[in-house]
Amino acid sequence: MKKLAIGLTLAAAAVSMSACSTLKGAAIGGAGGAGVAAATGGSVEKGAAVGGTAGAVVGTVAD
């Protein structure tokens, strides 16, 4: 259940920051992923990595 919540939250964050550039998207995604992971008791490092990757992808697509 926690993994589903983390995934949905990261997806929502990625969609909401679609106007960001690649670096901004990666930074915002990394911070958001780390925050969600910390709040749900998950691995902060993995949350930051997944969020950063998702943010970079969305930033690249938006540019």
Side-chain angles (χ1 to χ4, degrees):
M1 184 67 168
K2 288 182 183 178
K3 289 183 181 181
L4 178 62
I6 291 171
L8 291 174
T9 305
L10 289 175
V15 170
S16 68
M17 62 183 169
S18 62
C20 295
S21 68
T22 303
L23 293 177
K24 284 184 183 178
I28 293 169
V36 169
T40 59
S43 170
V44 175
E45 293 86 7
K46 288 181 183 176
V50 171
T53 302
V57 169
V58 170
T60 300
V61 171
D63 282 345

